[in-house]
Amino acid sequence: MKLDIEVWRQASPGAKGRFERHSIDGVEPHLSILELLDALNEQLIDSGHEPVAFESDCREGICGACGVTVDGAVHGPENNVPSCHQRLVHYRDGATIRIEPLRSASFPVLRDLIVDRGGLDDIIRAGGTVAVDAGTAPDADALPIPESTAETALDFAACIGCGACVAACPNGSAHLFTGAKLTHLALLPIPALERTRRARSMVAEADGLFGPCSLYGECEQACPAGIPLTAIAAVNHERLLGGLRRRLNRRAG
């Protein structure tokens, strides 16, 4: 089938962007959005033009690098599916597809479809790691964890940091991302030792870099990892719990 593509072109962060229109013939419906961009770039290179810059890595829905906006929808027409798995079967012959970067004030465009998602890395650096001196490695059964707790922690750890939740939110909030990290680490015994410090630093970083939660739930529909809205509740829960623990520790001291 033949598809028309309106793709965003922007040479640098400070340059004025614009949409370019191209037509591609012989497109197979089973191809992904990224494979459509591959075909477009081959066509551009063959004609002596600059290819479209976009990010991708694993193309297996794991790395989170491929996020783009397709016809106004984060990642593409299917909910909870990354761009690399969005298929062209949703489009008819002769359809027009508009592809642009993830749109958020916190994700400035670097070039074409590539945005700077470094704010998410800043949240992780603020406390999304474990720095407890655990000594030698404990035996596997030294800290028993209920299976249901471990499975829940893994569900929240599935967040791939693609930024879809931020781009989908009208306020550009990163609460789903932040809450997923906080919940995952709070459920496990060794990371939970830093729970108070982590909540304080990560939530403060998220509040400073991103907008407040809009409470509409667009983030849950866009998230390719299926992170539930309960992660958003965890942000305030962990923040309040951290403040309560600090006050109790001061009184005890």
Side-chain angles (χ1 to χ4, degrees):
M1 63 181 178
K2 180 178 180 181
L3 293 175
D4 293 326
I5 304 175
E6 292 181 350
V7 63
W8 183 258
R9 304 304 304 265
Q10 185 171 333
S12 64
K16 184 178 180 180
R18 71 195 188 283
F19 282 102
E20 280 185 359
R21 190 177 182 92
H22 301 275
S23 294
I24 300 182
D25 208 349
V27 177
E28 297 294 334
H30 67 270
L31 295 181
S32 70
I33 293 294
L34 296 194
E35 289 169 328
L36 179 65
L37 289 172
D38 289 337
L40 172 61
N41 279 345
E42 289 182 8
Q43 183 172 296
L44 289 171
I45 292 171
D46 289 343
S47 60
H49 293 89
E50 191 74 17
V52 177
F54 67 96
E55 286 190 290
S56 70
D57 191 0
C58 71
R59 301 206 179 193
E60 295 179 354
I62 298 172
C63 71
C66 64
V68 293
T69 303
V70 183
D71 292 334
V74 176
H75 280 308
E78 281 191 78
N79 289 338
N80 307 117
V81 176
S83 297
C84 59
H85 284 184
Q86 297 276 352
R87 302 297 170 183
L88 301 178
V89 68
H90 300 285
Y91 300 95
R92 300 189 305 272
D93 183 37
T96 298
I97 303 177
R98 172 170 282 201
I99 305 176
E100 56 189 311
L102 295 180
R103 295 299 190 182
S104 174
S106 301
F107 292 162
V109 176
L110 298 177
R111 182 178 176 188
D112 295 342
L113 304 178
I114 300 176
V115 299
D116 181 1
R117 293 175 293 179
L120 300 179
D121 297 329
D122 290 339
I123 294 175
I124 294 298
R125 278 190 287 267
T129 55
V130 181
V132 176
D133 185 3
T136 58
D139 293 335
D141 58 352
L143 292 172
I145 304 172
E147 181 181 359
S148 60
T149 301
E151 290 296 331
T152 301
L154 286 172
D155 288 342
F156 285 99
C159 171
I160 59 177
C162 66
C165 53
V166 177
C169 177
N171 289 342
S173 173
H175 273 47
L176 196 76
F177 170 82
T178 306
K181 303 303 179 184
L182 288 173
T183 304
H184 158 222
L185 295 173
L187 288 170
L188 301 176
I190 292 180
L193 296 175
E194 300 178 289
R195 188 172 182 177
T196 298
R197 178 196 63 80
R198 176 180 298 112
R200 183 171 66 253
S201 57
M202 289 184 69
V203 174
E205 192 73 17
D207 286 347
L209 295 174
F210 298 89
C213 178
S214 64
L215 301 178
Y216 285 107
E218 296 96 330
C219 54
E220 185 182 40
Q221 296 179 7
C223 176
I227 303 299
L229 282 176
T230 52
I232 292 177
V235 174
N236 285 330
H237 177 269
E238 291 297 309
R239 171 165 41 193
L240 293 173
L241 186 61
L244 177 61
R245 284 179 171 172
R246 287 203 310 275
R247 286 194 292 269
L248 291 175
N249 289 336
R250 287 170 186 167
R251 290 177 183 177

